[in-house]
């Protein structure tokens, strides 16, 4: 295990079962952290936990199914991380979705889903993670954004 300033820190990563989230989970583990991965993908979470527990050791990686649009699930994610690791040092809000298309043809239901996940989900993560960090007197919140807002649609 590498010795860095992150060694022993408790980290939560939303959207942690795949893509960038999975890469972040692995990197935090490489840096010596204990990591809680939250994601909607139950099967991918289980695979992640099994693979990374074998590589980094039992008790360093945990996972919780979490829909960031559900306040109770976000609250439970934060509480579970604190209960399991004793603290919450870093929260990486990585969960997000991209549904796009030409605006003049875009279905408002899809737009609402994007807003629910990417904006409301972000607010709920901030509310509960920052609340726990304020109570503890320390912590770092990282928000991952997308470059998709810069995409030309026609």
């Amino acid at each position: 295990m590498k010795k860095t300033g992150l060694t022993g820190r408790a980290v939560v990563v939303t959207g942690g079962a795949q893509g960038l989230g999975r890469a972040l989970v692995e990197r935090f583990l490489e840096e010596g952290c204990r990591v809680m991965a939250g994601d909607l993908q139950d099967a991918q979470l289980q695979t992640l936990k099994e693979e990374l527990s074998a590589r980094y050791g039992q008790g360093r990686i945990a996972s919780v199914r979490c829909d960031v649009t559900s306040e109770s699930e976000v609250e439970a994610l934060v509480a579970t991380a604190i209960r399991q690791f004793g603290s919450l040092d870093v929260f990486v809000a990585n969960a997000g979705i991209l549904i796009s298309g030409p605006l003049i043809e875009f279905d408002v239901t899809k737009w609402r889903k994007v807003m629910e996940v990417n904006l409301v989900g972000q607010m709920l993560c901030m509310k509960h993670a920052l609340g726990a960090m304020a109570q503890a007197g320390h912590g770092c919140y990282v928000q991952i954004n997308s470059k998709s807002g810069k995409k030309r649609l026609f």
Side-chain angles (χ1 to χ4, degrees), residues 120-137:
V120 175
Q122 185 67 235
M123 176 270 180
L124 293 173
C125 288
M126 291 174 91
K127 176 182 178 179
H128 292 284
L130 294 176
M133 290 172 180
Q135 188 173 17

Side-chain angles (χ1 to χ4, degrees), residues 4 15 17 21 34 88 93 122 135 145-146 150:
T4 69
R34 297 162 294 146
L88 175 58
Q122 185 67 235
Q135 188 173 17
N145 285 318
S146 168
K150 298 178 182 178

Side-chain angles (χ1 to χ4, degrees), residues 71-149:
E71 184 162 9
S72 63
E73 290 187 27
V74 171
E75 185 175 26
L77 173 67
V78 170
T80 301
I82 293 169
R83 187 171 52 252
Q84 185 154 344
F85 297 144
S87 67
L88 175 58
D89 301 305
V90 179
F91 190 102
V92 181
N94 171 68
I97 61 171
L98 170 61
I99 305 171
S100 66
L103 182 61
I104 59 175
E105 300 169 9
F106 202 66
D107 178 24
V108 72
T109 304
K110 291 178 182 176
W111 177 253
R112 286 188 174 118
K113 179 67 174 175
V114 170
M115 294 298 104
E116 191 70 17
V117 174
N118 296 353
L119 294 179
V120 175
Q122 185 67 235
M123 176 270 180
L124 293 173
C125 288
M126 291 174 91
K127 176 182 178 179
H128 292 284
L130 294 176
M133 290 172 180
Q135 188 173 17
H138 75 279
C140 178
Y141 187 92
V142 179
Q143 175 187 348
I144 305 292
N145 285 318
S146 168
K147 66 177 184 162
S148 65

